[in-house]
Amino acid sequence: MPQGNVDIVVIGGGPAGLVAAATAADLGARVLLVDENHALGGQLTKQIHKFFGSREHWAGMRGYKIAARLVAAVEAAGVQVMTGAVAYGIFPGKVVGIATPAGSVSVAAKAIILATGASEKALAFPGWTLPGVMTAGAAQTLANIHRILPGKRILMVGAGNVGLIVSYQLLQGGAEVVAVVEAQPRIGGYAVHAAKIQSLGVPVLTGHTILKAVGKECVEGAVIAALSAGRPVPESERLLEVDTICLAVGLTPAYELAAMAGCRLHYRREAGGWMPEHDATLATGVPGVFVAGDAAGVEEASTAMEEGKLAAVAAAAYMGLLTPADSAGKIEVIAAGLRELRGRDCTLKHIQEEEVWARLAGQGPKAVIECREGIPCNPCETACPRGAIKVGRPITNIPVVDWDKCNGCGRCIAACPGQACFVVNLDYGEDTAAISLPWEMLPWPEQGQKVAMVDGQGREVCTGHVLRVSIPAANDHTAVVTVAVPKKAAPLARRIARQKRY
């Protein structure tokens, strides 16, 4: 068990901390990584969805598999690791107090990187202490780590990415998500995440909130209402029969250790609330103390990984392991990547839907991408073997398909984390079109099966006939299902109606 001196102590074994530890060790530092959990990986260990980003961030890979890659890099770099250990204090001289099952130890460091992540916010309302009210993260842990559904009929409060993603995963587990309510007038998460659950029949009610939970010994229902100017609209109350209420109302940086280290705090609402002040290199006002990941402001996992790299380089430079010129060059490369990930500029524009469908006739099978916002993501581009899909730089560009190059192979369908890629063949039959789409719900459709087809809002538009179901290992549990539908319904038919189950 480490006790004494190291070069860098990294506190937190999530994406930021793992990358920080491996990078610092590769730069020649003696690194100790401390995490209170018994397994490294942080939130990634319960993320079963495919991630956005670029190939460098393992875009298109499921979160728990990214965690395994990052842990392997830490092990390969020779980082000392303490799991099941709580860093309870930072004392003068950069001494970190660590509590372990075997007792407490003190470790002195030349630099400290705080990658302590974030904690979920709560929401108080009448009945919020009833069993059955929990955070979205708790529900995700139950479902994805312990394989226990938190409930059968669920209300999700909050339409940010966390609320939308966890809703989809609860549907995958067999629960019924009765509704997602969001107090703001618009969805806070990515539209593609919202589209996935809306097409599966889940209403996303913006401008709505929960008023109270109903039940005697546990949740038996929830009363929701519309909002106007932040107040409930009279006579808009509705009782939903639910047994679980999940709260996805935001995250706040875990700043406690930073405050103990003497770091000044400042408040940024858009980044989660109170957090340590830091400069462009993630250095705080306390010499030798750096922050990274959600502890420096709540963002995406790909951004956290880049921040872990940046903090490691800055810490190595602080200790003299890098020359000023070397550190400046590395920092600028990382900073440029962060600017791109955080941007929303789109230099490539998506053609109008009417034009897409007008041009599809006579083309045979062609990829259609319904990605309409500047998400930092390009797996569709890297998956295409013919170079028919263009994202380019910045990575937030909206994908554009060159139909002269596209042969409708469909590799983009399973690669897309947002499930926004389809292959459409309007020439399949005289009155019939064929649509290939992604599918990740049980039960799997079967060849020859008749299925109800729905639009992006989950409304039934036609009956389809399953032509084939493809689930190669390379798709990583995303099936590509090809369905024959009436040609006139092709512009609307986007999903197979989900068969509800408990």
Side-chain angles (χ1 to χ4, degrees):
M1 180 180 295
Q3 187 159 1
N5 299 329
V6 297
D7 291 331
I8 299 175
V9 173
V10 178
I11 302 174
L18 289 169
V19 172
T23 302
D26 287 341
L27 292 173
R30 293 175 300 134
V31 181
L32 170 64
L33 174 61
V34 181
D35 191 90
E36 64 184 2
N37 298 297
H38 293 287
L40 296 174
Q43 297 300 307
L44 289 176
T45 59
K46 58 185 180 182
Q47 307 293 349
I48 62 172
H49 59 283
K50 294 180 178 179
F51 270 58
F52 294 112
S54 65
R55 181 172 286 173
E56 291 76 16
H57 303 108
W58 297 296
M61 184 179 290
R62 301 191 187 276
Y64 68 93
K65 292 187 175 183
I66 297 175
R69 295 282 185 94
L70 297 180
V71 171
V74 163
E75 293 171 348
V79 174
Q80 299 180 75
V81 175
M82 294 178 66
T83 54
V86 178
Y88 62 82
I90 298 176
F91 305 99
K94 299 188 198 63
V95 175
V96 182
I98 305 169
T100 76
S104 293
V105 297
S106 297
V107 179
K110 297 175 183 176
I112 298 172
I113 298 175
L114 299 171
T116 47
S119 58
E120 291 183 278
K121 296 179 180 178
L123 183 67
F125 49 86
W128 75 302
T129 58
L130 281 171
V133 179
M134 66 186 73
T135 64
Q140 193 177 44
T141 300
L142 283 171
N144 297 346
I145 299 295
H146 302 295
R147 300 294 191 265
I148 300 171
L149 272 180
K152 293 182 178 179
R153 291 178 58 82
I154 297 169
L155 171 67
M156 182 66 67
V157 181
N161 279 334
V162 172
L164 298 173
I165 289 170
V166 174
S167 292
Y168 180 75
Q169 292 172 358
L170 291 172
L171 291 171
Q172 287 181 299
E176 182 70 13
V177 179
V178 176
V180 177
V181 295
E182 169 58 56
Q184 297 301 315
R186 61 183 61 86
I187 292 168
Y190 291 148
V192 288
H193 284 320
K196 286 194 291 186
I197 64 171
Q198 287 174 308
S199 65
L200 293 170
V202 178
V204 180
L205 307 175
T206 56
H208 281 70
T209 192
I210 181 171
L211 296 183
K212 64 180 179 180
V214 177
K216 292 182 178 180
E217 296 184 358
C218 61
V219 171
E220 298 173 5
V223 177
I224 66 170
L227 292 174
S228 177
R231 295 177 178 273
V233 176
E235 300 183 3
S236 68
E237 295 90 349
R238 277 195 284 164
L239 174 64
L240 302 179
E241 293 184 8
V242 298
D243 56 27
T244 306
I245 299 169
C246 292
L247 306 178
V249 293
L251 303 169
T252 189
Y255 61 79
E256 294 84 357
L257 284 175
M260 184 176 285
C263 302
R264 288 174 57 90
L265 304 179
H266 69 132
Y267 188 86
R268 285 184 57 209
R269 180 180 179 183
E270 68 277 12
W274 289 101
M275 66 195 66
E277 288 186 353
H278 56 82
D279 64 16
T281 68
L282 300 175
T284 69
V286 178
V289 178
F290 303 82
V291 290
D294 284 352
V298 177
E299 295 186 84
E300 299 294 327
S302 54
T303 303
M305 287 186 267
E306 287 299 300
E307 286 192 338
K309 192 184 306 180
L310 177 59
V313 170
Y318 168 79
M319 294 187 302
L321 295 177
L322 292 171
T323 67
D326 284 344
S327 64
K330 291 178 182 295
I331 287 170
E332 177 50 38
V333 170
I334 299 168
L338 280 168
R339 287 193 296 270
E340 185 176 27
L341 287 172
R342 289 168 171 154
R344 287 294 180 268
D345 295 331
C346 300
T347 59
L348 301 177
K349 302 300 181 184
H350 197 283
I351 60 177
Q352 296 299 309
E353 285 189 26
E354 295 81 1
E355 185 179 349
V356 169
W357 294 97
R359 290 174 53 194
L360 269 174
Q363 294 274 357
K366 298 295 179 183
V368 174
I369 302 180
E370 297 182 346
C371 183
R372 302 183 180 91
E373 59 188 323
I375 296 173
C377 187
N378 69 357
C380 58
E381 179 182 54
T382 56
C384 181
R386 301 172 67 89
I389 300 174
K390 175 70 173 177
V391 174
R393 306 302 290 266
I395 197 176
T396 48
N397 283 335
I398 294 173
V400 171
V401 182
D402 183 343
W403 283 344
D404 290 334
K405 296 180 179 179
C406 176
N407 66 350
C409 72
R411 292 190 186 179
C412 56
I413 296 174
C416 176
Q419 297 187 3
C421 293
F422 308 86
V423 169
V424 179
N425 183 2
L426 288 185
D427 306 312
Y428 179 75
E430 183 176 350
D431 299 312
T432 307
I435 300 176
S436 298
L437 50 87
W439 189 255
E440 293 184 334
M441 295 285 165
L442 292 176
W444 298 111
E446 297 180 359
Q447 185 176 359
Q449 180 181 356
K450 288 186 177 180
V451 292
M453 299 296 294
V454 297
D455 65 10
Q457 298 298 313
R459 297 169 298 209
E460 188 170 337
V461 295
C462 67
T463 299
H465 180 260
V466 177
L467 300 175
R468 58 184 175 273
V469 179
S470 175
I471 322 174
N475 286 10
D476 193 9
H477 300 91
T478 299
V480 175
V481 183
T482 302
V483 185
V485 301
K487 190 172 295 188
K488 63 182 180 181
L492 294 176
R494 277 297 162 268
R495 304 283 178 189
I496 299 169
R498 183 174 61 93
Q499 298 180 35
K500 298 176 184 178
R501 60 189 178 90
Y502 292 127

